[in-house]
């Protein structure tokens, strides 16, 4: 079995990052679930993905992909 599991990848990736800042994996996974299930966050992830898929800037000033696209010469 691969990790993170493909059917719950976002929650597991979030939990891995959160786990560095909380006392237990269970708490990290709980917080990650709340983030991953939030409709506003999901909509923002979808909006950013759609912009990147069409080659557009997503408008997030902290977006590494957009930063690299503007600083890379063709």
């Amino acid at each position: 079995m691969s990790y993170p599991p493909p059917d719950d990848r976002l929650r597991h990736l979030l939990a891995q990052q959160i786990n560095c800042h909380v006392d237990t994996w269970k708490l990290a996974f709980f917080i990650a679930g709340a983030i991953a299930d939030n409709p506003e966050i999901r909509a923002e992830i979808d909006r950013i993905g759609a912009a990147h898929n069409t080659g557009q800037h997503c408008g997030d000033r902290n977006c590494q992909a957009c930063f690299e696209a503007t600083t890379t010469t063709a």
Side-chain angles (χ1 to χ4, degrees):
M1 176 185 248
S2 65
Y3 187 84
D7 63 338
D8 203 15
R9 185 171 170 76
L10 179 60
R11 184 179 327 266
H12 281 264
L13 291 172
L14 288 167
Q16 282 179 310
Q17 293 299 308
I18 295 166
N19 194 40
C20 299
H21 306 285
V22 297
D23 291 334
T24 66
W25 170 253
K26 186 175 182 177
L27 178 58
F29 202 72
F30 174 78
I31 294 168
I35 293 169
D37 293 340
N38 183 297
E40 291 177 12
I41 292 173
R42 296 299 284 217
E44 183 63 7
I45 291 170
D46 291 342
R47 185 196 66 76
I48 291 169
H52 289 172
N53 285 336
T54 60
Q56 301 296 314
H57 293 286
C58 68
D60 183 340
R61 68 175 174 232
N62 298 305
C63 178
Q64 187 66 31
C66 290
F67 175 77
E68 290 172 2
T70 59
T71 58
T72 304
T73 56

